Amino acid sequence: MDALAIKDVTLTPLRIIPGDLGAVYHGLKSTEASFQGFGEAYFSNVAHKAVKGWKLHTKMISNLIVPIGAIRFVLYDVRPESETQGQIMDVILSLENYQRLTIPPGIWMAFQGVSAGQNMLLNISSIPHDPTESIGLPLDTTEIPFQQW
């Protein structure tokens, strides 16, 4: 397993199909292995250098795509049964690295706006938003061994 990978987290390269009138940006198809149901889709902006997180979902699978700007995602695996428990994964998504990041439940996530302009992500989640199924921690927590923002 790649040193930067976390078990069950996937990065899926996505197609950008150019066209004379504008491009088509693929996101997620129901026929793909990472599709585990549809709850809702939403966009989130993150300002340049701002950091959102830490958040852990207990049920939701997140499918994250960055169609505008660049966003750095940092993940931390705390699942007791995982062979990558205690591992950090750090990846930047953008049009230059156009992929879908699929995150299963039980993994801490935070993300930072990298581009000076607008940074936007799309989350296609497996369940509708439910505030009772997620846990949050402050960015400066000592429970997650990552302080490199």
Side-chain angles (χ1 to χ4, degrees), residues 14 26-30 32 34-37 63 65 100 124:
L14 299 173
H26 277 210
L28 178 64
K29 295 179 184 177
S30 63
E32 294 179 282
S34 58
F35 180 78
Q36 298 295 313
N63 290 285
I65 302 164
R100 182 180 59 251
I124 304 169

Side-chain angles (χ1 to χ4, degrees), residues 53-56 108 135-144:
W54 293 99
K55 183 175 263 189
L56 180 144
W108 285 101
I135 305 164
L137 285 173
L139 285 175
D140 62 354
T141 182
T142 57
E143 292 184 42
I144 299 173

Side-chain angles (χ1 to χ4, degrees), residues 79-129:
R79 300 169 297 167
E81 74 287 354
S82 175
E83 62 193 55
T84 56
Q85 181 187 24
Q87 182 124 354
I88 297 276
M89 182 174 175
D90 190 339
V91 63
I92 296 175
L93 298 183
S94 65
L95 286 182
E96 291 74 32
N97 186 28
Y98 192 61
Q99 301 188 69
R100 182 180 59 251
L101 176 62
T102 302
I103 306 169
I107 295 176
W108 285 101
M109 173 182 64
F111 53 91
Q112 179 181 40
V114 174
S115 293
Q118 185 175 8
N119 300 289
M120 181 182 286
L121 69 82
L122 165 63
N123 184 10
I124 304 169
S125 63
S126 62
I127 62 172
H129 176 72

